[in-house]
């Protein structure tokens, strides 16, 4: 197996010495360098750069710079996606994000981790487990989503949360570790008033 195939299979892989992986990360860094330095009004150029980087993207998406990721090709986003500043995705494994997802500033999605065993860790081995975020999800500021997590549809993750386990659909969840606070109900429609 190649190191990329090992990563996709959830096995330990060498992310520091494999030339194929190093080239892929270098490519992402080059694209993101250009993206993050484009002038604010250069929306067409920004969209073209991200379409060349991401594995899959709908037509309507915004990533406020700066945005950082490892590879890009493992990231799939749906329609009407918005990520605010300082969004970081360590995409050693697939990151699948649905439609109508809002991501606040300073959010990190991490598929990659390192073994507890010292010899394995210092030799450069790591693992990567996929992260899946459903449709209509709002991720609050400063949230960290750890390897292997799934977040269900219509869920809100409160600011500052560390999401280390799956979170179901239709709930408000927050904390460190992140846990379900309560279901989201029809009464939430009245929480904020339109003028």
């Amino acid at each position: 197996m190649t190191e990329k195939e090992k990563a996709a299979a959830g096995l330990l892989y060498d992310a520091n010495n494999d030339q194929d992986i190093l080239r892929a990360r270098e490519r992402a860094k080059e694209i993101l360098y250009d993206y993050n330095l484009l002038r604010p009004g250069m929306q067409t150029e920004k969209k073209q750069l991200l379409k060349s980087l991401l594995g899959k993207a709908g037509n309507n998406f915004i990533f406020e710079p700066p945005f950082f990721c490892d590879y890009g090709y493992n990231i799939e986003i749906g329609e009407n996606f918005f990520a605010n500043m300082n969004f970081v995705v360590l995409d050693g494994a697939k990151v699948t994000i649905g439609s109508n997802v809002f991501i606040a500033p300073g959010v990190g999605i991490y598929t990659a981790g390192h073994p507890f065993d010292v010899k394995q860790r210092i030799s450069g081995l790591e693992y990567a487990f996929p992260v899946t975020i459903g449709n209509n999800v709002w991720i609050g500021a400063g949230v960290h989503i750890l390897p292997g997590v799934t977040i269900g549809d219509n869920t809100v993750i409160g600011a500052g949360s560390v999401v280390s386990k799956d979170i179901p659909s239709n709930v408000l969840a927050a904390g460190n570790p992140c846990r379900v606070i309560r279901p989201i109900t029809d009464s939430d429609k009245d929480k904020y008033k339109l003028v």
Side-chain angles (χ1 to χ4, degrees):
M1 291 179 101
T2 67
E3 298 305 306
K4 280 186 178 181
E5 290 169 337
K6 290 177 188 175
L11 303 172
L12 288 176
Y13 66 99
D14 186 343
N16 297 306
N17 300 298
D18 180 77
Q19 291 305 307
D20 209 20
I21 286 178
L22 293 173
R23 277 191 299 275
R25 273 206 313 268
E26 185 71 21
R27 176 185 178 272
K29 286 178 189 176
E30 292 287 342
I31 291 170
L32 290 171
Y33 179 87
D34 291 342
Y35 177 80
N36 289 326
L37 293 177
L38 283 175
R39 298 187 61 79
M42 300 176 77
Q43 296 302 320
T44 301
E45 294 85 350
K46 285 181 178 187
K47 191 169 274 195
Q48 288 171 343
L49 281 172
L50 286 183
K51 285 239 181 204
S52 75
L53 176 69
L54 301 175
K56 180 181 173 187
N59 291 317
N60 186 23
F61 60 87
I62 296 171
F63 288 73
E64 291 290 351
F67 164 56
F68 304 98
C69 68
D70 279 339
Y71 306 101
Y73 57 75
N74 278 327
I75 301 171
E76 297 184 354
I77 59 169
E79 287 294 340
N80 303 317
F81 174 83
F82 176 81
N84 216 319
M85 298 170 278
N86 294 313
F87 182 39
V88 174
V89 182
L90 303 186
D91 61 318
K94 187 75 70 182
V95 174
T96 306
I97 302 173
S99 295
N100 305 307
V101 172
F102 296 170
I103 295 183
V107 169
I109 298 175
Y110 316 111
T111 68
H114 301 281
F116 291 166
D117 178 75
V118 172
K119 288 183 183 178
Q120 290 177 331
R121 187 170 59 246
I122 64 174
S123 72
L125 294 177
E126 65 181 49
Y127 61 85
F129 301 143
V131 169
T132 303
I133 298 172
N135 296 312
N136 312 311
V137 172
W138 175 22
I139 308 290
V143 168
H144 299 282
I145 300 170
L146 302 185
V149 165
T150 295
I151 298 172
D153 293 343
N154 310 313
T155 283
V156 175
I157 305 295
S161 297
V162 177
V163 187
S164 58
K165 295 188 182 336
D166 292 354
I167 302 294
S169 297
N170 303 304
V171 298
L172 168 64
N176 181 6
C178 188
R179 66 192 187 294
V180 173
I181 305 296
R182 65 175 177 81
I184 294 174
T185 66
D186 284 342
S187 65
D188 287 304
K189 292 177 185 170
D190 298 324
K191 185 161 178 70
Y192 303 102
K193 303 291 184 193
L194 290 172
V195 177

